[in-house]
Amino acid sequence: MLVLSFNLRAAITSLPPLFPELSSSLGLSSAAIAALATTPVLCFAAFSGVAAPLSRRYGEERVLLAALVLLVVGLVARGALPGWLLFPGTVLAAAAIALMNVLLPSLVKRRYPARAGLLIGVYLLSLAAGAILASLIAVPIFQASGGSVPLALGIWALPAAVAALVWLPQWHFRTVPAGARPLRQQRLLKVSRYPLAWQVMGFMGLQSLIYYATLSWLPTMFRDRGADPVHAGTLLALMNLGNAVTLLLIPLLAHRTRDQRWLVALTVACAAVGLTGAWFAPLGGAAAWVLLLGFGQGAALALAVYFTVVRAPNPVASASLSAFTQGAGYLVAAPGPLAIGFLHTATGSWTIPVVVLLAVMAGELVVGWPAGRPATLPEASG
């Protein structure tokens, strides 16, 4: 699970620090770069919904292995022929990540329900490690290779291939809870009927919008403020380092408290203060502000994933809730990177985009507050 989750963000966070270089090397327009930033989130929305049916038919372990192979293919493709396959390769990689995003929480609930908080925190910490490393070394790899776009893009197929090899023995497992009916005979809970599912989905969607918008444009924002490319990439890595701290801590805290609404409020406050400081405060203090922003973002993701586990009555319902939450949630998030990029282009400043993101954070608190109350979806009938 650790080596698998390491690959959940590296293929994505390695791109934004290189946006200016990709634009000049491949002749991509500002609109094309904005579309590239949006592509992973759109794919998460499009492909999350197929994860639960596939897992019921083939088992989570086998679908996860197939997703890892698909991830390797996508990353090799976009690295080998970036001029032609940058977008198709990114689509394949993001589709694979979408499947893994959905199935890892339900796998945790199925195998280790009593240790869900710890295991969610551990795999999210590994996710953050991949995100940190990718954003930190993307520009140095590009520079050290003499400006090689294929190497800078394709190198991330290596950890994905390692994860596929490590996961290979899991092909023989199809974990079913003791006393339960076979996976394909269990009814799926129609989670969209329940307000609680919509609240969890809204929280996931808005926190994802904020994360991917800042992930996509934070390095460009700091470069516009005068930071050099390596410094801007380092600040993005620092944001992801903040993610790592709370991704591990928050699930443990949430698992020990019955009502998580206070955690939702603290999470949104941290992210709002950090984003405000990152743009409006002097550049010299940027490291502290992006770290605080990262704390809030990591906590929000951790809570969103945790809610898909604890708000469901059983592993099958958890997979359904996770698929709905991520499929519809990423559809909510998809316009974020594109809209923020267009707002910056239209206004020539980052002030309006930052204010819009702060307004989105207010909405995140509105939907996250009821999602954090102690409640559970009902069992599927029949």
Side-chain angles (χ1 to χ4, degrees):
M1 289 178 63
L2 289 176
V3 293
L4 188 153
S5 55
F6 180 87
N7 292 276
L8 291 179
R9 291 295 179 271
I12 301 168
T13 60
S14 59
L15 289 176
L18 292 172
F19 277 168
E21 286 74 17
L22 292 176
S23 179
S24 59
S25 298
L26 303 178
L28 299 178
S29 65
S30 298
I33 290 294
L36 182 61
T38 306
T39 296
V41 192
L42 281 173
C43 291
F44 291 169
F47 294 101
S48 293
V50 305
L54 286 174
S55 72
R56 293 175 73 232
R57 182 173 180 83
Y58 300 108
E60 289 152 333
E61 293 85 355
R62 296 182 180 184
V63 177
L64 286 168
L65 179 59
L68 283 168
V69 173
L70 185 64
L71 176 61
V72 173
V73 171
L75 294 177
V76 168
R78 82 177 188 185
L81 294 171
W84 293 92
L85 298 180
L86 176 61
F87 279 89
T90 300
V91 168
L92 288 179
I97 292 170
L99 297 176
M100 294 188 281
N101 281 339
V102 170
L103 294 182
L104 270 175
S106 64
L107 185 67
V108 168
K109 187 174 183 68
R110 188 182 304 284
R111 287 195 175 189
Y112 306 105
R115 303 173 66 191
L118 174 62
L119 289 176
I120 288 173
V122 168
Y123 97 67
L124 290 177
L125 181 63
S126 181
L127 174 153
I132 293 167
L133 183 64
S135 55
L136 188 63
I137 69 174
V139 172
I141 287 175
F142 179 82
Q143 293 176 342
S145 64
S148 172
V149 171
L151 179 61
L153 295 178
I155 195 171
W156 301 106
L158 294 177
V162 170
L165 291 174
V166 172
W167 193 261
L168 189 59
Q170 298 295 320
W171 177 263
H172 301 292
F173 293 93
R174 291 185 64 197
T175 313
V176 179
R181 290 175 289 172
L183 285 173
R184 68 180 73 183
Q185 296 179 17
Q186 297 182 43
R187 286 180 58 87
L188 281 175
L189 179 67
K190 295 182 179 179
V191 297
S192 59
R193 293 179 176 179
Y194 303 97
L196 177 59
W198 285 90
Q199 291 154 5
V200 174
M201 182 277 292
F203 185 70
M204 169 65 85
L206 293 182
Q207 71 83 23
S208 297
L209 188 156
I210 294 160
Y211 174 74
Y212 284 103
T214 52
L215 173 73
S216 299
W217 299 115
L218 203 68
T220 305
M221 185 183 82
F222 282 122
R223 289 174 73 161
D224 288 349
R225 295 192 65 186
D228 63 70
V230 174
H231 185 205
T234 301
L235 288 172
L236 183 63
L238 192 60
M239 184 189 81
N240 283 300
L241 178 62
N243 291 175
V245 174
T246 48
L247 282 171
L248 179 62
L249 177 63
I250 292 300
L252 295 175
L253 290 176
H255 197 63
R256 285 165 171 75
T257 181
R258 192 164 172 271
D259 191 327
Q260 289 90 33
R261 283 178 286 189
W262 68 277
L263 286 172
V264 171
L266 182 61
T267 288
V268 176
C270 281
V273 172
L275 180 60
T276 301
W279 174 243
F280 293 103
L283 184 60
W289 298 117
V290 297
L291 190 61
L292 186 61
L293 172 62
F295 287 156
Q297 290 176 334
L301 175 60
L303 285 173
V305 173
Y306 185 77
F307 290 160
T308 67
V309 174
V310 298
R311 300 296 178 252
N314 56 59
V316 173
S318 178
S320 297
L321 179 58
S322 185
F324 173 70
T325 296
Q326 297 196 46
Y330 284 123
L331 196 59
V332 171
L338 195 63
I340 294 303
F342 284 158
L343 279 173
H344 171 250
T345 301
T347 63
S349 169
W350 290 103
T351 299
I352 297 300
V354 167
V355 170
V356 168
L357 287 176
L358 290 173
V360 173
M361 289 179 185
E364 180 188 13
L365 178 60
V366 169
V367 295
W369 187 261
R373 73 190 192 280
T376 307
L377 294 171
E379 296 274 357
S381 59

